[in-house]
Amino acid sequence: EEAGHRPNDVSYNCLLNASVSSGSGNFHQAWETIAMMEKAGVAVDHYTISIMMKALKKVRNQKDVNQALQLLDRAGLDVFADEILLNTVLETCTRHRETRRLESILATFMKSGLRPSLHTYGSLIKASAALKNLDQCWALWREMEDRRAMVPNDIVL
């Protein structure tokens, strides 16, 4: 800013990624970056949310998990609009046992008619397994193999 250039979403997301990628992840700095971003009127986007969801892989602090999920809600993003975002949200919710959110995402997906990638099928099946919904696991598996003729790989297995 001192040079007369205003940071944009790419600038903020780069700073955010650097914050959470350093060592064990600096969430305090990440939240400060998001606060600056929002104060500057730069919208939180699917990259911002994906960065935060991926960073939660290393986190055990439920406060950071809740704060990141609140950020997702506040941003009002459609998690189905971007498969990377969908996968990172599913994986985060599965890892941190956010069962209500998983149930909601999976219910919406099952009605959506979306044609996910192999990786996304893996995330959907793992989320269904976390909810102990074996019927849904098998329905997704059959859809992937039989109707979509996809061959499961290490990610799905």
Side-chain angles (χ1 to χ4, degrees), residues 3-24:
H5 301 288
R6 295 193 54 177
N8 62 12
D9 57 334
V10 175
S11 307
Y12 283 113
N13 284 330
C14 286
L15 289 169
L16 184 61
N17 192 51
S19 296
V20 297
S21 298
S22 61
S24 62

Side-chain angles (χ1 to χ4, degrees), residues 125 134-135 137-149:
I125 291 168
L134 296 181
D135 290 339
C137 289
W138 283 114
L140 289 162
W141 185 270
R142 283 189 296 275
E143 178 181 318
M144 176 185 64
E145 275 198 323
D146 300 341
R147 289 192 289 273
R148 299 279 313 281

